[in-house]
Amino acid sequence: MTVDLARPVSRRTIGTEVLLVLGVSLGQSAVYSAVNIIGRLTADRPLSQQTATLNASQSARPWLDLTYQLLNILFALVPVLLAVHLLNRDRGDARLTLGLDARRPGTDLGLGAGLAALIGIPGLGLFALAAWLGINANVVPADLPDIWWAVPVLILAAAQNAILEEIVVVGYLVTRLRDLGWRIGAVIAASAVLRGSYHLYQGFGAFVGNAIMGVVFSLVFLRTKRVLPLVIAHTLLDVVAFVGYASLPREWFDWL
């Protein structure tokens, strides 16, 4: 005899699930980022004279540093697996729900590249403006040693950021908030504000830029029902930022 374990999921259960998923992932990051920006604003130096470092070295010993970097990337993806698992529970194949399948590789790649250009080029101008206004910290996208594994790790870190953020903050969150009956405008605003919030540690320019990116990406997901182009776009943006910073002369990035 086969037992059917499937059952309707209540709104209360979905709401609790969303809070738990965000609590172990980017919602937690948003809270820490809010505390961080308060600390920066109350420090004895202006925000524009402070530094926010991404992809920092974890150890002076290269093999141990590499181990830490890979473990950080690996465990950062666990909330993604959790979100997909929970969607599988009541929606069947979450890859289809989120648009993570490989049915449209050419379209996904083209849309992803287009979104990267759409977000990336104006984003540079916004970062420059934020730096000029003094409302951002000095962002250091990569601070790894000059070693053979630095660029591969930065590429993996870029992909990890993209997978985590786009699947959890767009694919999963937008889907679940729609399940809860939220209106489209509120769904987009929630996703965008969350994205901006966990970038607050970089400053207010980063908040605004990432919130705008969140609006665009949420609209694209709602229209296409596919998160894969967003993952591609985000990966391209971060690879250019991380690897470019690590590879090009530092004076090119003084405006960050």
Side-chain angles (χ1 to χ4, degrees), residues 55-123:
N55 303 299
S57 179
Q58 302 293 311
S59 173
R61 289 177 285 178
W63 68 269
L64 190 57
D65 195 0
L66 175 59
T67 301
Y68 280 131
Q69 299 294 337
L70 294 178
L71 287 176
N72 288 340
I73 291 168
L74 175 65
F75 284 110
L77 293 175
V78 172
V80 175
L81 299 177
L82 174 62
V84 170
H85 169 75
L86 292 169
L87 287 177
N88 276 333
R89 177 190 60 188
D90 58 296
R91 284 179 164 269
D93 192 345
R95 293 176 305 165
L96 299 178
T97 299
L98 298 176
L100 283 169
D101 56 273
R103 291 177 299 171
R104 300 163 48 184
T107 301
D108 289 339
L109 183 59
L111 180 56
L115 283 171
L118 176 67
I119 296 295
I121 296 172

Side-chain angles (χ1 to χ4, degrees), residues 21-30 72-84 98 100 156-173 191 194-195 198-199 217 227 230-232 234-235 238:
V21 170
L22 295 182
V24 298
S25 60
L26 293 164
Q28 178 186 134
S29 299
N72 288 340
I73 291 168
L74 175 65
F75 284 110
L77 293 175
V78 172
V80 175
L81 299 177
L82 174 62
V84 170
L98 298 176
L100 283 169
L156 288 174
Q160 173 256 297
N161 287 344
I163 292 168
L164 174 62
E165 294 187 37
E166 304 316 326
I167 292 179
V168 172
V169 178
V170 180
Y172 170 80
L173 184 60
S191 179
L194 175 59
R195 186 189 295 265
Y198 58 76
H199 287 93
F217 277 22
V227 81
L230 311 182
V231 172
I232 292 170
H234 194 150
T235 300
D238 279 5

Side-chain angles (χ1 to χ4, degrees), residues 98-148:
L98 298 176
L100 283 169
D101 56 273
R103 291 177 299 171
R104 300 163 48 184
T107 301
D108 289 339
L109 183 59
L111 180 56
L115 283 171
L118 176 67
I119 296 295
I121 296 172
L124 292 174
L126 182 59
F127 261 91
L129 176 62
W132 181 72
L133 293 173
I135 59 174
N136 249 27
N138 297 308
V139 179
V140 177
D143 189 24
L144 296 179
D146 185 11
I147 196 169
W148 67 267

